[in-house]
């Protein structure tokens, strides 16, 4: 049996030592020792810089903590000053608004306190001043609304003064409008009516026109139309008189093209002539009572009223005016008084009676024809 050869332990140690030395020398050859040393030195320097920066940051943190309390108090003082400035600006705007209110009211009073000018060139200048006062009144209304929104207490004592000035302005405008209408001056009447609109008094203008200009002239004509015939056919005559008045000279200046402004429609025809005519018919209910039970008269009256509405609407110049006229509450109330469901029932009854009579005549004729045929057969 062969023996295994085992090297000596000392030779193994020598071989391992030689191998380690060769590996160490190989590592030294593959690694740049100088570069490694320089990198190590750079890392050490950066560590020192980072330590010094941390020290600086600590000092800065201490400084900021020391400044936080004074800066917060300064910020609070700045905020308080800004709030105070905002309040001062608001008070300044209120004072400016009060100043403009006072100036506008004073200017308006100076325009209205001038003595009336005689006819001629002075009258034209007086009309210009009056229309300028109307525009100032419109501005004053806007300023008053702004003052009311801002709850200015100083505006309240001037309300009585404002109302007095407004009454004076409206009185002078109505006087000027009456003079223009009486003279048939279309251009002057249109300017005065637009002055009412500038003063935000269109409702007052239409009220004056209806009560002081239209009613005294139209109502006597309508009463005369009622008196000229029977009550049953009075409504068509009334409609004819209303149309004549609307087209006539008394109302022609109020249909001027200058008044057809789509931005601010005035609705003079609807709120004066049409409203007064409807009020007259509403005040004479016996006219509609006389139409009860007479479908033909009711049909003629309704047809005349619808035709009047169409012809009056044709006199209007803007879509807004026509729409307002169609939807006017006075016209809607007038049309309800015709009680068309009852008229329909009366017409149905009338047609049914005629149909029944026609059927009865047809049956009688058929029966007579049958008797004649039977007689002829018997003779044969």
């Amino acid at each position: 049996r062969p023996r295994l050869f085992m090297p000596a332990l000392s030779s193994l140690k020598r071989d391992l030592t030689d191998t380690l030395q060769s590996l160490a020398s190989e590592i030294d050859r593959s690694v740049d020792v100088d570069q490694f040393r320089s990198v190590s030195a750079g890392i050490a320097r950066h560590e020192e810089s980072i330590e010094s920066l941390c020290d600086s940051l600590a000092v800065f943190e201490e400084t900021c903590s020391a400044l936080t309390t004074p800066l917060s108090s300064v910020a609070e003082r700045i905020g308080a000053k800004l709030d105070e400035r905002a309040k001062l600006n608001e008070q300044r705007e209120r004072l400016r608004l009060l100043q403009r209110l006072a100036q506008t009211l004073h200017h308006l009073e100076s325009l209205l306190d001038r003595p009336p000018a005689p006819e001629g060139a002075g009258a034209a200048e007086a009309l210009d001043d009056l229309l300028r006062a109307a525009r100032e009144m419109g501005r004053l209304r806007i300023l008053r609304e702004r003052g009311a929104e801002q709850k200015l207490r100083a505006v309240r004592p001037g309300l009585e003064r404002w109302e007095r000035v407004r009454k004076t302005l409206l009185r002078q405008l109505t006087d000027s409008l009456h003079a223009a209408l009486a003279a048939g001056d279309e251009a002057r009447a249109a300017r005065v009516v637009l002055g009412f609109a500038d003063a935000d008094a269109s409702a007052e203008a239409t009220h004056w026109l209806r009560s002081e200009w239209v009613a005294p002239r139209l109502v006597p004509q309508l009463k005369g139309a009622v008196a000229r015939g029977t009550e049953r056919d009075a409504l068509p005559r009334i409609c004819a008189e209303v149309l004549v008045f609307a087209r006539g000279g008394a109302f022609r200046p109020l249909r001027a093209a200058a008044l057809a402004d789509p931005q601010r429609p005035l609705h003079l025809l609807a709120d004066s002539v049409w409203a007064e005519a409807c009020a007259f018919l509403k005040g004479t209910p016996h006219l509609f009572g006389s139409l009860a039970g007479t479908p033909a008269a009711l049909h003629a009256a309704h047809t005349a009223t619808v035709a009047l509405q169409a012809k009056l609407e044709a006199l209007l110049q803007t879509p807004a005016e026509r729409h307002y006229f169609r939807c006017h509450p006075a016209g809607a109330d007038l049309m309800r008084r015709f009680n068309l469901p009852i008229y329909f029932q009366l017409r149905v009854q009338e047609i049914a009676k005629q149909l029944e009579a026609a059927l009865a005549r047809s049956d009688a004729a058929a029966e007579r024809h049958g008797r004649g045929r039977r007689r002829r057969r018997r003779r044969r």
Side-chain angles (χ1 to χ4, degrees):
R1 193 174 190 180
R3 295 181 180 180
L4 296 175
F5 177 73
M6 296 294 294
L9 183 60
S10 58
S11 64
L12 291 175
K13 289 181 178 180
R14 283 195 301 271
D15 294 339
L16 182 60
T17 301
D18 295 338
T19 303
L20 291 175
Q21 288 178 356
S22 63
L23 290 174
S25 60
E26 185 69 24
I27 291 172
D28 290 339
R29 285 194 302 272
S30 61
V31 176
D32 191 353
V33 178
D34 295 334
Q35 183 178 2
F36 182 76
R37 290 175 180 174
S38 64
V39 170
S40 300
I43 291 173
R45 288 194 302 272
H46 285 301
E47 287 180 352
E48 294 177 357
S49 300
I50 290 172
E51 290 178 357
S52 63
L53 182 60
C54 291
D55 296 336
S56 301
L57 288 175
V59 174
F60 180 75
E61 183 178 2
E62 293 177 358
T63 305
C64 289
S65 61
L67 291 176
T68 300
T69 302
L71 287 177
S72 61
S73 62
V74 171
E76 291 178 356
R77 290 197 298 270
I78 291 175
K81 291 296 182 181
L82 291 176
D83 295 339
E84 184 179 357
R85 179 184 178 184
K87 292 180 180 179
L88 290 175
N89 288 333
E90 184 178 356
Q91 293 179 0
R92 182 184 62 181
E93 292 298 325
R94 290 184 176 182
L95 290 175
R96 287 181 178 177
L97 178 59
L98 289 174
Q99 182 181 10
R100 292 177 63 187
L101 274 169
Q103 291 176 352
T104 304
L105 187 58
H106 177 71
H107 187 207
L108 184 56
E109 289 176 338
S110 65
L111 289 173
L112 296 176
D113 289 341
R114 296 178 183 179
E119 295 294 332
E125 296 179 357
L127 179 60
D128 292 338
D129 292 339
L130 183 62
L131 298 180
R132 192 178 303 113
R135 290 190 292 271
E136 290 294 327
M137 177 59 71
R139 290 184 55 217
L140 185 61
R141 180 190 61 81
I142 297 174
L143 293 175
R144 282 185 65 249
E145 291 178 353
R146 290 179 56 188
E149 291 176 358
Q150 297 183 12
K151 300 180 180 179
L152 295 180
R153 296 180 179 179
V155 177
R156 298 177 182 175
L159 292 179
E160 182 178 355
R161 182 182 172 191
W162 181 83
E163 290 291 343
R164 184 174 62 254
V165 171
R166 190 172 188 272
K167 290 180 181 178
T168 303
L169 174 64
L170 293 180
R171 185 181 66 254
Q172 293 186 13
L173 285 173
T174 52
D175 293 342
S176 180
L177 181 58
H178 184 274
L181 292 175
D185 192 342
E186 182 176 322
R188 182 179 177 184
R191 292 185 64 192
V192 176
V193 171
L194 292 177
F196 274 102
D198 290 334
D200 193 34
S202 300
E204 287 81 356
T206 54
H207 176 74
W208 180 88
L209 282 173
R210 178 180 172 181
S211 60
E212 302 296 332
W213 184 257
V214 174
R217 292 161 177 79
L218 179 60
V219 173
Q221 298 179 14
L222 300 183
K223 291 180 178 179
V226 174
R228 282 197 298 270
T230 63
E231 292 182 351
R232 183 169 296 180
D233 58 350
L235 207 147
R237 294 196 303 272
I238 291 174
C239 293
E241 290 294 338
V242 173
L243 185 60
V244 169
F245 181 84
R247 291 175 174 175
F251 201 78
R252 184 179 295 111
L254 299 173
R255 294 189 289 106
L259 298 177
D261 188 357
Q263 301 299 327
R264 47 178 184 179
L266 300 173
H267 311 300
L268 301 178
L269 181 65
D271 288 337
S272 59
V273 177
W274 179 236
E276 187 62 30
C278 293
F280 177 80
L281 294 173
K282 184 179 179 180
T284 53
H286 59 276
L287 295 178
F288 291 92
S290 63
L291 301 176
T294 55
L298 185 62
H299 180 265
H302 184 269
T303 302
T305 305
V306 173
L308 174 63
Q309 284 183 303
K311 292 175 181 178
L312 290 178
E313 184 179 333
L315 299 176
L316 303 175
Q317 304 181 45
T318 63
E321 290 178 331
R322 290 190 285 270
H323 177 74
Y324 181 86
F325 181 83
R326 294 191 202 105
C327 301
H328 201 280
D333 183 64
L334 176 63
M335 299 308 293
R336 281 195 298 268
R337 290 182 175 272
F338 283 99
N339 204 358
L340 293 181
I342 301 298
Y343 166 76
F344 177 76
Q345 293 178 5
L346 293 175
R347 281 297 190 186
V348 170
Q349 294 175 3
E350 183 180 352
I351 293 172
K353 290 178 181 179
Q354 294 177 2
L355 181 60
E356 289 175 358
L359 291 175
R361 289 193 298 270
S362 177
D363 291 341
E367 186 177 355
R368 288 194 300 269
H369 181 69
R371 289 177 182 176
R373 292 183 62 182
R374 287 195 296 270
R375 289 175 183 175
R376 288 193 294 272
R377 288 177 181 176
R378 289 175 185 176
R379 292 175 182 174
R380 293 176 183 174

